[in-house]
């Protein structure tokens, strides 16, 4: 079998500059909305949200704390809709202002599961921020409070997003054919 050659860079869907501009706007809006609320807890959903969370969190002007949560994600083509908790947050969110930070909302099953789970812990407030959303694919009734971009139903990679663990550190969001 021939060795895998260098990969072609995926075509750009959202450029580095567009992402950066939108993250600035989201951070400004979130900072404004939470200005009088005290510390917020940002919960990044691993692995995909690590880049977005890092950029967003550093642009906020409000007090914030960083937490991560890991959920099982499906392989492309095998969407059972079942979500499983792999790693929980390390802090009690009761009476705290919580903002979930997601990389991508596809069917929204993951977000739905997460919101139900966190809501049961009685935070003072619970909102969600997602970088991209595939609007046509959404199945669950979930409100995204802060959204970066609506995108078409294509497999996207980069800026934290992967295809079988590849492309996560690509600086822009590109389209691949899985
Ligand atoms: P959900 O369907 O909204 O629950 O999304 C499940 C997970 O699938 C996401 O958190 C991502 O990890 C992954 N995912 C869905 N679509 C894409 C994509 O286009 N690129 C990379 N990951 C994706």
């Amino acid at each position: 079998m021939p060795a895998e050659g260098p990969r072609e860079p995926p075509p750009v869907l959202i450029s580095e500059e567009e992402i950066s501009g939108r993250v600035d706007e989201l951070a400004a809006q979130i900072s404004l909305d939470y200005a009088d609320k005290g510390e917020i807890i940002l919960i990044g959903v691993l692995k995909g949200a690590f880049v977005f969370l890092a950029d967003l969190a550093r642009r906020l002007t409000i007090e914030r704390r960083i937490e991560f949560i890991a959920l099982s994600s499906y392989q492309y083509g095998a969407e059972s809709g079942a979500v499983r908790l792999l790693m929980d947050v390390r802090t009690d969110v009761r009476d705290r202002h919580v903002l979930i930070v997601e990389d991508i909302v596809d069917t929204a099953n993951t977000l739905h599961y997460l919101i139900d789970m966190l809501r049961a812990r009685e935070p003072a407030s619970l909102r969600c921020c997602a970088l991209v959303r595939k609007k046509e694919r959404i199945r669950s009734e979930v409100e995204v409070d802060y959204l970066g971009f609506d995108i078409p139903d294509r497999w996207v990679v980069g800026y934290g997003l992967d295809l079988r663990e590849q492309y996560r550190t690509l600086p822009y969001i590109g389209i691949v054919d899985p």
Side-chain angles (χ1 to χ4, degrees), residues 68-102:
F68 285 103
I69 208 161
L71 302 158
S72 60
S73 62
Y74 63 82
Q75 301 288 306
Y76 191 83
E79 308 161 43
S80 67
V83 181
R84 210 158 44 88
L85 180 67
L86 301 177
M87 186 193 88
D88 206 342
V89 293
R90 299 185 187 183
T91 195
D92 186 5
V93 301
R94 180 183 299 268
D95 299 330
R96 314 295 302 274
H97 293 286
V98 173
L99 181 65
I100 298 168
V101 180
E102 263 272 36

Side-chain angles (χ1 to χ4, degrees), residues 45-48 71-76 79 81-83 102-112 132 134 137-140 151-158 160-164 168 174 176:
V45 185
L46 291 174
K47 296 179 188 171
L71 302 158
S72 60
S73 62
Y74 63 82
Q75 301 288 306
Y76 191 83
E79 308 161 43
V83 181
E102 263 272 36
D103 46 352
I104 186 162
V105 179
D106 182 10
T107 61
N109 285 335
T110 307
L111 194 54
H112 195 252
V132 294
K134 294 183 192 170
R137 300 245 318 151
I138 292 212
R139 288 203 212 116
S140 304
I151 59 166
D153 180 17
R154 301 291 303 276
W155 196 263
V156 290
V157 293
L161 292 157
D162 77 313
L163 171 67
R164 297 180 210 104
R168 281 199 200 278
V176 287

Side-chain angles (χ1 to χ4, degrees), residues 59-72:
R59 285 159 155 103
L60 294 176
T61 55
I62 48 174
E63 273 184 73
R64 64 275 188 190
R65 174 194 282 230
I66 310 295
E67 288 286 336
F68 285 103
I69 208 161
L71 302 158
S72 60

